[in-house]
Amino acid sequence: MRRLTIRTKVILWYTMLILLLTGLLLVLTIALGRTFLRNSLYERVKEFVEENVERIQYEDGRYIIDEGYIDRENGMCCLAYDGDGTLLAGKLPTNISLDYDFVDGQFLEFYARQRTYYLYDRQVMFGDGGVIRLRGLIYDRESIHVITACIHAVLLILPFVVLLSVLGGQILLKHAFLPLEKAIRTADEISAGEDLSKRIPIGNERDEIAGLARTFNSMLERLERNFEQEKQYISNVSHELRTPVTVILSQCEVALESKTITEEERQILERIDRQARKISESIAQFLMFGRLERGMEKLELEPVDFSALVRHMCQDYRLLPDVVPEIEECVQDEIYLSLNREMMTRLVGNLLDNACKYGKDGGKVCVSMGRKEGFIILMVTDFGIGIEPQEQERIWDRFYQAPEAKGIAGSKGIGLGLYMVYEIAKLHGGEISVESTPGCGSTFTLKLKDDSF
Ligand code: ADP
């Protein structure tokens, strides 16, 4: 039942209700019809008996039955007995016994010979001691026909009623649920493509679902506005910070080249330089993020020696002062691809950055690249903290950081690295995936089409 759609549930519910109501109505009609028929049969038999009362006389101790006495008529019969119970007129229908006590004025219903019979007793007292007892009998010929006709009529009409209600309900509910289906489709499209500019098309409907769609649209509008503001804010701040940081870095460089500084001053300057480089790196990430978010004006590709790019990146990381693990590299030669160099450098850099950040202290990071079945496969493996299975889907979201990563010393990330890796891979028509075991390490795999030139 839980798997059924709301539409099916509603249709099922009211179809059952219609069937139940029809059944109840049928039972009620039959019961009322029978009561009505019984009353009319009682009336008829009573009338019939009363007419015969007039046709019996008692004179000089003898009963005189008039010629007009009718003992049978239209399924009725009238039996006349004297006070001792001797039958004076009329004939009892065969196979019926009338062992019921005689009570003046009583109506009685009984069943015999697969029929329902109705009985009426009437006693007449004559002045000079004579007593005559008339017993009228009628059987119910009509009610069985009426009931059968009712059942037939209902059985004939019912399928049409059910069909009409199911079809009508389908059309009505389909129409009513249309905005909801559109809302679901739009929500799916948004979550698949993250395009917040989409809206649910609404007509002039004023029902609850159209109301829901309207609320959904206004929520999307607010979300889109907030995202735009956030993007604008990040972009503005990044641009504002870029110049001062560049000045700090160049001034540090000049100062470090000076021969007159003391050892202590050198250490201070080097620390400032390291921190300024980190800020500069974050700014670069933010600016690239802004460009990716704007949908990349146009992806500018150039022929790149990808093998050399990856090797140089590994070499650069080996030279960084605070990189702890050893980087082992196994890169196939001469892999040339059409890439956006700046972006690919960032992608490889972000993967190496994470592998070093979340890898084991003093452990190693393995970088391998080669051709496989028409694809270029780049793998970056570390043997560090790993990623919990439930986190593995979410690490690609912007600004997402797994709880375990937040506690890592020196991990001052902002949660944009993998988001950018994902977007850059997508822009290049490639795929990025992760395989990870918590506590053992992770392997990030980039798969690009091998369009070597
Ligand atoms: P951050 O700036 O936090 O590193 P990223 O977008 O690069 O942001 O990564 C998102 C999250 O994915 C990280 O916070 C971390 O939890 C997880 N993660 C990324 N790379 C690794 C890795 N090599 N090992 C374990 N966890 C990782």
Side-chain angles (χ1 to χ4, degrees):
M1 191 73 179
R2 279 193 189 160
R3 293 210 185 131
L4 297 179
T5 59
I6 296 178
R7 209 190 309 172
T8 317
K9 279 184 198 164
V10 172
I11 291 174
L12 258 177
W13 158 247
Y14 73 70
T15 306
M16 306 269 267
L17 201 70
I18 287 176
L19 287 174
L20 193 78
L21 283 178
T22 314
L24 276 176
L25 214 68
L26 193 68
V27 171
L28 209 71
T29 312
I30 291 170
L32 283 175
R34 282 204 64 203
T35 313
F36 176 76
L37 270 167
R38 189 176 50 213
N39 289 344
S40 89
L41 289 172
Y42 278 146
E43 278 305 310
R44 273 175 61 194
V45 74
K46 185 180 173 187
E47 215 172 282
F48 180 55
V49 170
E50 290 299 338
E51 274 170 15
N52 278 334
V53 165
E54 312 289 325
R55 294 168 188 141
I56 298 175
Q57 307 294 324
Y58 182 71
E59 275 173 25
D60 306 329
R62 281 180 51 236
Y63 296 98
I64 302 161
I65 313 283
D66 204 88
E67 273 194 3
Y69 182 91
I70 304 168
D71 66 339
R72 270 169 194 270
E73 189 184 76
N74 292 335
M76 294 183 285
C77 74
C78 185
L79 308 164
Y81 302 88
D82 65 10
D84 302 327
T86 312
L87 184 65
L88 302 175
K91 192 170 168 262
L92 190 68
T94 43
N95 295 336
I96 287 183
S97 83
L98 291 177
D99 299 336
Y100 307 102
D101 289 343
F102 193 93
V103 180
D104 185 26
Q106 86 166 328
F107 286 109
L108 201 90
E109 178 182 339
F110 65 95
Y111 192 73
R113 284 171 38 187
Q114 296 172 338
R115 286 171 179 172
T116 307
Y117 285 85
Y118 299 95
L119 173 154
Y120 173 66
D121 285 343
R122 173 78 156 93
Q123 180 170 282
V124 187
M125 311 281 284
F126 297 99
D128 37 8
V131 175
I132 195 108
R133 287 170 177 168
L134 292 172
R135 176 161 269 182
L137 210 60
I138 187 167
Y139 74 85
D140 178 5
R141 283 191 297 192
E142 284 100 346
S143 73
I144 190 73
H145 298 304
V146 171
I147 290 166
T148 321
C150 268
I151 292 171
H152 281 167
V154 168
L155 289 181
L156 206 75
I157 295 168
L158 200 63
F160 291 102
V161 173
V162 171
L163 198 76
L164 205 74
S165 71
V166 170
L167 285 180
Q170 277 275 17
I171 294 167
L172 204 80
L173 287 172
K174 193 174 170 146
H175 193 70
F177 276 109
L178 211 61
L180 198 62
E181 277 168 15
K182 282 181 193 163
I184 294 168
R185 226 177 302 134
T186 310
D188 281 347
E189 278 169 18
I190 290 168
S191 62
E194 294 197 4
D195 180 4
L196 282 177
S197 64
K198 283 199 178 344
R199 296 289 178 272
I200 305 164
I202 317 166
N204 295 325
E205 289 91 349
R206 295 256 149 248
D207 56 22
E208 295 85 344
I209 295 176
L212 179 75
R214 250 177 231 113
T215 312
F216 191 75
N217 277 351
S218 66
M219 185 189 76
L220 283 177
E221 218 158 291
R222 264 208 316 279
L223 270 179
E224 193 187 5
R225 221 179 306 129
N226 285 352
F227 273 117
E228 278 308 317
Q229 282 169 354
E230 180 196 86
K231 272 188 260 171
Q232 197 54 48
Y233 179 74
I234 290 174
S235 165
N236 291 349
V237 170
S238 308
H239 279 105
E240 283 297 315
L241 289 178
R242 200 160 55 160
T243 320
V245 171
T246 315
V247 172
I248 293 171
L249 280 172
S250 62
Q251 292 300 305
C252 270
E253 211 178 312
V254 173
L256 279 168
E257 275 168 13
S258 163
K259 305 246 175 351
T260 56
I261 54 167
T262 62
E263 185 50 33
E264 195 185 349
E265 284 167 341
R266 174 176 301 282
Q267 280 178 9
I268 293 170
L269 281 170
E270 275 174 357
R271 224 173 295 143
I272 294 172
D273 184 73
R274 263 201 310 276
Q275 295 307 321
R277 274 182 206 287
K278 275 192 182 169
I279 300 172
S280 164
E281 173 61 15
S282 294
I283 292 171
Q285 295 260 36
F286 278 135
L287 288 173
M288 170 93 57
F289 164 72
R291 281 171 62 200
L292 286 171
E293 282 292 284
R294 261 178 268 122
M296 272 311 300
E297 309 81 60
K298 194 172 178 296
L299 181 68
E300 280 169 17
L301 300 175
E302 56 181 304
V304 175
D305 180 348
F306 200 26
S307 308
L309 187 147
V310 174
R311 278 205 195 101
H312 286 148
M313 296 280 308
C314 291
Q315 191 55 28
D316 287 352
Y317 269 79
R318 277 191 202 107
L319 297 176
L320 287 179
D322 46 359
V323 168
V324 194
E326 169 197 337
I327 299 180
E328 203 174 273
E329 144 228 312
C330 171
V331 174
Q332 199 175 319
D333 284 330
E334 296 182 351
I335 295 180
Y336 297 98
L337 295 176
S338 287
L339 304 171
N340 180 297
R341 182 183 287 278
E342 190 196 344
M343 285 190 179
M344 243 342 130
T345 308
R346 175 134 322 272
L347 183 151
V348 178
N350 285 356
L351 290 182
L352 279 172
D353 230 22
N354 284 345
C356 295
K357 247 188 325 193
Y358 305 115
K360 215 189 222 153
D361 278 358
K364 64 177 176 184
V365 168
C366 298
V367 179
S368 69
M369 188 164 77
R371 293 192 161 84
K372 196 177 172 196
E373 297 162 2
F375 290 97
I376 302 297
I377 310 287
L378 167 72
M379 292 167 109
V380 179
T381 304
D382 66 71
F383 304 90
I385 59 165
I387 307 163
E388 292 291 335
Q390 71 274 14
E391 307 286 343
Q392 288 178 18
E393 285 238 318
R394 308 183 61 191
I395 53 172
W396 314 104
D397 294 348
R398 43 197 221 149
F399 301 115
Y400 183 77
Q401 293 184 295
E404 308 79 49
K406 286 183 184 156
I408 299 265
S411 164
K412 301 279 187 291
I414 43 176
L416 271 182
L418 287 184
Y419 166 76
M420 269 189 268
V421 166
Y422 183 87
E423 289 297 317
I424 294 170
K426 201 168 78 179
L427 274 171
H428 283 81
E431 277 173 26
I432 179 84
S433 59
V434 65
E435 271 179 50
S436 184
T437 312
C440 292
S442 319
T443 297
F444 284 84
T445 307
L446 172 72
K447 198 170 158 189
L448 291 173
K449 246 214 171 115
D450 184 5
D451 58 356
S452 302
F453 41 86

